[in-house]
Amino acid sequence: MHVLILGGTTEARRLAELLHGTPGLKLTNSLAGRVASPRLPPGETRVGGFGGAEGLAAWLSEQTVDVIVDATHPFAGKISFNAAQAAAATHVPLLALRRPGWVPAEGDRWHEVGSLEEAAQALPALGRRVFLTTGRMGLAAFADLEDLWFLVRSVDAPEPPHPARMEVLLDRGPFTLDGERELLRRHRIDVVVTKDSGGAATAPKLTAAREARLPVLVVRRPPVPEGVTVFPDPEKAAQWVREHLEQGAFPVID
């Protein structure tokens, strides 16, 4: 049985670790290639896009894939919808592995928005020194905010367009609460911008912002494609795969 994991997340790596070496199971991990030095999971790995939904469907047929697990970042919406279309075209079952989103706690000053563009529109009314933790790919949305100063944290250095007044902090989580407290203090941050990525690795910034009574702009995550079964953690997804492997077949999608 051949399982394709669309990965690039901590959950995807954990799922690969749980499934690697399972008798009768071939495992392929797919990474988008947007990070220069990714942490490679166990199993076979391919890097780069498929060429849209049609290209992915062709690859699924050529490689005789029996099931797809979409364990991409919650905001990697395009590949998720391409996977849903390809799965439907090839009748291959598709699962989604999605860490639960963050939930505001007492004392949080969250302002939820639907996109990076909406976040950019709301920013000037909330602060002047911005801790921007949405990744390097969406900085163009903030490029015109010339009166604001940005601390941008990302794994790799961003490319233009991006805000003119910007300091880049190259770092990769997990982050500590003490580290986030010091970062907010040292850079005199007065507003935080984040995507609702969920998970524990980057959550300490939310606690630090709550303690400092800072407003936080939270970009809501896009929905999972309709009809896709969602698992909240790698253990439950791995259990599903193993159960169907023992039965000798994965369910057929009509």
Side-chain angles (χ1 to χ4, degrees):
M1 297 295 179
H2 188 183
V3 175
L4 170 65
I5 299 177
L6 303 175
T9 60
T10 301
E11 290 77 16
R13 287 191 298 275
R14 177 57 180 158
L15 178 61
E17 292 169 355
L18 291 170
L19 294 178
H20 182 60
T22 301
L25 185 67
K26 177 183 179 180
L27 183 63
T28 301
N29 300 279
S30 176
L31 304 179
R34 292 179 176 174
V35 177
S37 299
R39 297 172 180 171
L40 296 180
E44 297 183 15
T45 301
R46 69 176 302 280
V47 178
F50 292 94
E54 292 184 2
L56 176 54
W59 195 91
L60 296 175
S61 298
E62 292 167 1
Q63 301 296 320
T64 319
V65 172
D66 294 286
V67 65
I68 313 167
V69 181
D70 173 15
T72 57
H73 192 275
F75 282 83
K78 187 173 183 180
I79 182 60
S80 296
F81 281 89
N82 284 347
Q85 293 179 28
T90 56
H91 308 290
V92 173
L94 169 65
L95 314 176
L97 177 55
R98 291 288 186 272
R99 69 189 78 152
W102 289 317
V103 178
E106 184 177 355
D108 279 326
R109 298 176 59 197
W110 285 14
H111 302 261
E112 294 191 9
V113 293
S115 66
L116 293 176
E117 289 73 20
E118 289 184 20
Q121 293 175 4
L123 257 182
L126 294 175
R128 282 289 182 265
R129 297 184 64 83
V130 185
F131 183 27
L132 187 59
T133 66
T134 57
R136 64 188 175 93
M137 304 302 293
L139 295 185
F142 305 90
D144 294 334
L145 298 177
E146 299 179 354
D147 293 335
L148 306 187
W149 180 89
F150 291 84
L151 176 65
V152 174
R153 183 165 66 191
S154 64
V155 176
D156 294 319
E159 298 179 355
H162 54 61
R165 302 178 62 205
M166 178 182 75
E167 179 177 333
V168 178
L169 178 61
L170 297 182
D171 204 354
R172 187 199 304 257
F175 303 106
T176 67
L177 178 55
D178 284 343
E180 300 294 63
R181 288 168 174 157
E182 173 61 18
L183 185 148
L184 297 181
R185 185 198 64 77
R186 184 172 69 252
H187 294 279
R188 306 192 314 278
I189 299 299
D190 55 19
V191 60
V192 177
V193 183
T194 184
K195 294 177 178 177
D196 180 17
S197 301
T202 60
K205 64 188 172 190
L206 300 175
T207 303
R210 181 190 314 129
E211 292 176 349
R213 301 193 57 79
L214 299 182
V216 180
L217 275 168
V218 180
V219 182
R220 291 186 295 268
R221 60 174 63 179
V224 174
E226 186 176 355
V228 176
T229 300
V230 180
F231 289 94
D233 58 66
E235 288 72 20
K236 288 185 174 60
Q239 180 182 358
W240 185 95
V241 171
R242 290 199 189 99
E243 288 176 353
H244 287 86
L245 182 64
E246 292 173 359
Q247 296 170 11
F250 291 106
V252 176
I253 303 298
D254 296 329

